[in-house]
Amino acid sequence: MIQLNRALRILHVEDDPDAARLFARWLAWFRPVTLDVVQASDLKTALELLERDSFDALLLDLRLPDGEEWSTLAVAGEVARWLPVVVLTGNDDTDLASLAGRLGVQSYLAKERQDGLSVGAALVDAFERHHASRSALVPSAALG
């Protein structure tokens, strides 16, 4: 695990207020890295926040009031080009999970099988893998 001297800023998109509070509480207890979680309840708000704020990862539910699972997943694929995305959804659909991977989503997690430790670890892992893949794209001459 990389050593960070700051918190990871996470945008959590979840329309169920109870689930949002539960995962926010669980992620607050995650200790290997401090996670600063910002909540959005719909895709429109999330995209506005992504445009004007800086985040280290996106934690995304696929069932949102302003997007169907497939269309929300398509947006996640676009975002995944520049920001690590972890899907946290109530739909444990292998077809969606497979498509998510092909679109560049780092992890596809079923809510009912997760807790703060597993979601926090998935976020940190997604951040590390995304960071490593982006670093690999930088020519060595640019590093020196």
Side-chain angles (χ1 to χ4, degrees):
M1 182 178 293
I2 62 174
Q3 296 297 317
L4 294 173
N5 57 359
R6 63 175 179 82
L8 286 181
R9 284 187 42 88
I10 308 299
L11 177 57
H12 182 200
V13 187
E14 170 62 65
D15 65 319
D16 178 346
D18 291 333
R21 278 191 297 276
L22 176 64
F23 279 99
R25 187 171 337 132
W26 279 352
L27 291 173
W29 295 337
F30 185 73
R31 287 295 167 237
V33 173
T34 301
L35 302 174
D36 177 20
V37 180
V38 175
Q39 298 285 339
S41 61
D42 57 57
L43 196 54
K44 180 179 184 265
T45 303
L47 292 173
E48 289 170 356
L49 285 167
L50 286 169
E51 274 193 27
R52 71 170 192 251
D53 246 336
S54 176
F55 294 94
D56 295 303
L58 175 64
L59 180 60
L60 179 66
D61 184 13
L62 294 181
R63 291 182 180 163
L64 298 171
D66 57 348
E68 297 177 20
E69 291 173 321
W70 294 94
S71 61
T72 302
L73 191 54
V75 170
E78 290 298 313
V79 171
R81 293 178 181 193
W82 49 274
L83 186 70
V85 176
V86 173
V87 167
L88 179 63
T89 185
N91 188 350
D92 194 8
D93 181 317
T94 56
D95 290 335
L96 275 175
S98 178
L99 177 59
R102 289 192 309 273
L103 290 173
V105 170
Q106 295 282 342
S107 293
Y108 185 99
L109 308 173
K111 285 181 189 176
E112 61 274 359
R113 290 189 268 151
Q114 305 305 317
D115 58 24
L117 182 59
S118 62
V119 174
L123 286 164
V124 170
D125 182 59
F127 174 79
E128 289 177 337
R129 284 187 287 142
H130 187 79
H131 181 74
S133 68
R134 304 284 290 175
S135 296
L137 296 176
V138 176
S140 58
L143 297 175

